[in-house]
Amino acid sequence: MTRTDSSPAGTPLAQPTARTLPAPAAQPGAPTLIGSVQRAMRLLETAARHTGGAPAKQLAREAGLALPTAYHLLRTLVHEGYLRREQGVFVLGSAAERLGSGAAAQSRRARIGKTLDDCCELLGVPLYFAVYRQGEIEVVSVAERPGYRAVEEWADFRATAHAHALGQCLLSQLDPDARRDHLDRYPVQALTPYTVRDERTLLARLERVPRMQPVTERQEYAVGTVCAAIPITAGATAAAVALSLPAHQARRLAAVSFRLGTEIGRVVGSLSFSISI
């Protein structure tokens, strides 16, 4: 199409004014993403692939970043401890290593939880997994179903090891000094009419526990509940898996704990590997 120019001769045509197009509207429900965070994470992931470290130029190229941008991000990551610079290359720092160890711990916890869930489904009883670490009892995982609920922790498990099967099983695996230290901090006390009455009686009972045999308690922690725990030892770490039953099903305790021991025996290698969490 021919355009007619009506402007005077020699007068240049006015150039059209540049217009800024509006930014595209965000899609409803779309997340707000921070580009600088995305670039920093991409750079950190790239550095993690080089166990011996890599220079800034290589990291920038592999991460698809402009070199000045990469330098700014690298300085920040070094300052925050996610990277450190050694002889001209960047390697993962202590903060990144803590992230990695945390992820590994979550993975091991998930493995324990899956094992417990499978056994819970098979045996039809609630199950508990606990370890004794740094002088304290820690319940790592609990598996239950609507038809068989776990015992409510109405008294702190850490302070009542003398009264429940998990605690007695863990205490039985400790050396005398560690056992004494625990009972000095958490003295024996009556929780129910059936709780062991004094420390001497408790210690005598623990001494009689056969190695790697179930430990049972009947209504010592919670009236109306009986429990059994099976020891799992991996190196210097004491651990145990326990089950609970209503007191009116106490006659099942021996048989179900035997089945639990059999099932745990099949996966004890995996559990032992996962204990150091």
Side-chain angles (χ1 to χ4, degrees):
M1 179 181 295
T2 304
R3 179 179 174 184
T4 302
D5 182 8
S6 59
S7 61
T11 304
L13 291 173
Q15 297 298 315
T17 304
R19 295 172 55 196
T20 302
L21 295 177
Q27 295 296 321
T32 301
L33 303 180
I34 309 301
S36 59
V37 175
Q38 291 179 306
R39 290 188 288 272
M41 296 305 296
R42 192 157 68 244
L43 196 60
L44 189 58
E45 290 172 353
T46 304
R49 291 197 293 268
H50 297 276
T51 56
K57 289 183 179 180
Q58 182 179 358
L59 293 176
R61 182 175 65 254
E62 293 181 8
L65 300 175
L67 189 56
T69 300
Y71 274 128
H72 285 304
L73 293 173
L74 288 170
R75 280 196 294 270
T76 302
L77 290 169
V78 168
H79 180 269
E80 297 298 325
Y82 290 99
L83 292 176
R84 66 178 188 272
R85 189 173 186 178
E86 295 181 351
Q87 299 179 346
V89 299
F90 293 88
V91 297
L92 292 182
S94 58
E97 291 167 358
R98 286 194 297 273
L99 285 178
S101 62
Q106 290 181 355
S107 175
R108 289 193 290 269
R109 284 178 181 269
R111 188 182 301 120
I112 290 172
K114 176 64 165 60
T115 300
L116 220 61
D117 279 339
D118 290 345
C119 289
C120 173
E121 184 73 30
L122 178 66
L123 301 177
V125 294
L127 298 177
Y128 317 78
F129 183 90
V131 297
Y132 193 87
R133 180 170 49 220
Q134 297 179 347
E136 301 292 347
I137 290 173
E138 179 185 348
V139 178
V140 176
S141 185
V142 177
E144 61 180 356
R145 294 292 185 275
Y148 33 93
R149 292 297 188 185
V151 177
E152 181 181 355
E153 186 181 354
W154 71 274
D156 190 345
F157 277 154
R158 295 173 301 174
T160 57
H162 63 283
H164 49 75
L166 265 178
Q168 292 179 24
C169 188
L170 293 171
L171 291 177
S172 73
Q173 298 177 63
L174 303 182
D175 61 57
D177 289 340
R179 195 179 299 162
R180 166 60 56 194
D181 172 72
H182 184 91
L183 294 175
D184 285 345
R185 289 180 289 115
Y186 302 114
V188 172
Q189 56 179 315
L191 301 181
T192 77
Y194 307 97
T195 307
V196 60
R197 281 307 195 234
D198 56 74
E199 185 177 300
R200 178 180 298 180
T201 303
L202 173 67
L203 291 174
R205 178 192 295 183
L206 296 179
E207 288 295 336
R208 292 195 301 269
V209 175
R211 178 172 174 75
M212 304 312 291
Q213 293 300 308
V215 176
T216 61
E217 62 90 357
R218 298 171 185 266
Q219 305 188 82
E220 294 184 54
Y221 178 78
V223 173
T225 302
V226 297
C227 299
I230 296 169
I232 300 175
T233 302
T237 303
V241 176
L243 67 94
S244 61
L245 286 169
H248 68 269
Q249 297 182 21
R251 65 185 182 279
R252 296 180 55 208
L253 191 61
V256 178
S257 61
F258 177 81
R259 287 191 64 197
L260 175 61
T262 300
E263 293 303 320
I264 293 302
R266 293 174 181 169
V267 295
V268 69
S270 175
L271 283 176
S272 298
F273 176 76
S274 302
I275 283 174
S276 57
I277 54 180

